[in-house]
Amino acid sequence: MSTSAQPSHTQRSFVILTHRMDVDVDGAPRAYGPPGTDALDDLRDAHTLGHPHAPIVGYILDDAPPHRPVVQGPHDPAPGYYVSQTAFEDESIENEHDPRRYVDATKINYVVLGDEARRMGARLGDFVAVYSRRTHRSVFGIVGDAGNPSGDEGSLHLLQALGYPFHNGIDDAVEEPEIVIRFYPGSNPGRRFFRTQAALDRAAHALALSLEFSETEKNR
C-alpha cells in the first residue's frame, strides 16, 4: 500500500507500509562466513529470497570456476569471512572485492528497494525516513540494497535504531505490518556514500528532510 500524500517539507516523497520487515545483514563484514564462524546470517539466506537453488547475492564469488566465495584477507575488517555486497556501492573504491565498497548493515540504516518503490521513482542511494508503529521511533536511512521484490527488508542497524532487540539475520524479523517508509526520490543525485550513521543524519538534516509522520501516515 502506498500514498502520494505530501508531508510539510518540500522534498517530493511517497510513503509505503511494509507487510513485514526481515533483517538484512548484507554488506556487513561478518554477514557470512565458512561453517564454524560467528556469522550474522545463515548461508542459505545469501541466496535470492532465501531459495537454496537460487543465485547467491549476499556475498561475492570468484569469477573463475569453481566460483568459491571471496574471503577477506588479513587487512580487511573481518579476515576469514566472506566479502558481502550490497546493491548500493561506493564507486570510488574500484576493487569489487574490498568490503569497504559496500553499505555496512551493522552501521547504516538502510532499506531494500522493492518493485513498488521503484515504480514510484525511488532509486538506490535515495534518502528515506522510517517509522515504527510499535516503538513510535523514526530514523533516517538510505535505499541501500535490492533483490527482494517486496522491499520488506531493512538493515540490522535500522531495526536496532527503531528499538527492536535484534542481533542478527538468522531468527529476527518484524512479522507485522508496522514499519512505514517515506521515500525521497532523487534526494541523493550524486550517489553520496555514507560510512557512519551520523554523517547520513547530518546530510538528511541539511536537505531539510523530516522525521515527522502525520497521523494519517502512521495509521494508514
Side-chain angles (χ1 to χ4, degrees), residues 136-161:
H136 308 293
R137 293 187 187 181
S138 58
V139 297
F140 287 123
I142 59 168
V143 182
D145 206 1
N148 184 340
S150 73
D152 292 347
E153 287 187 63
S155 68
L156 177 61
H157 194 274
L158 170 68
L159 275 303
Q160 291 173 337

Side-chain angles (χ1 to χ4, degrees), residues 45-215:
D45 290 333
H47 294 259
T48 303
L49 299 179
H51 298 159
H53 301 295
I56 291 174
V57 294
Y59 55 85
I60 299 175
L61 302 176
D62 282 326
D63 293 333
H67 305 297
R68 293 190 178 94
V70 175
V71 178
Q72 297 179 55
H75 301 295
D76 289 324
Y81 286 79
Y82 300 158
V83 176
S84 178
Q85 79 261 45
T86 54
F88 187 55
E89 305 172 358
D90 183 353
E91 297 175 354
S92 70
I93 298 178
E94 296 182 1
N95 181 8
E96 295 183 354
H97 292 180
D98 188 335
R100 301 165 188 84
R101 181 180 168 97
Y102 308 103
V103 188
D104 187 340
T106 65
K107 293 183 177 180
I108 297 294
N109 299 338
Y110 73 68
V111 300
V112 170
L113 181 61
D115 289 347
E116 182 179 8
R118 191 191 304 273
R119 285 194 298 268
M120 298 183 71
R123 296 294 180 266
L124 289 169
D126 284 345
F127 286 93
V128 296
V130 188
Y131 171 79
S132 167
R133 289 175 170 177
R134 187 192 307 187
T135 67
H136 308 293
R137 293 187 187 181
S138 58
V139 297
F140 287 123
I142 59 168
V143 182
D145 206 1
N148 184 340
S150 73
D152 292 347
E153 287 187 63
S155 68
L156 177 61
H157 194 274
L158 170 68
L159 275 303
Q160 291 173 337
L162 288 173
Y164 294 90
F166 295 165
H167 303 288
N168 55 51
I170 299 173
D171 302 311
D172 296 328
V174 177
E175 298 181 351
E176 300 297 328
E178 60 192 60
I179 304 294
V180 183
I181 307 172
R182 181 189 299 129
F183 292 84
Y184 294 97
S187 53
N188 189 11
R191 294 175 61 85
R192 181 178 176 186
F193 191 91
F194 300 96
R195 301 206 172 276
T196 68
Q197 186 62 38
L200 190 160
D201 290 341
R202 288 193 297 270
H205 284 296
L207 290 171
L209 305 184
S210 176
L211 287 176
E212 296 298 322
F213 284 76
S214 69
E215 289 304 313

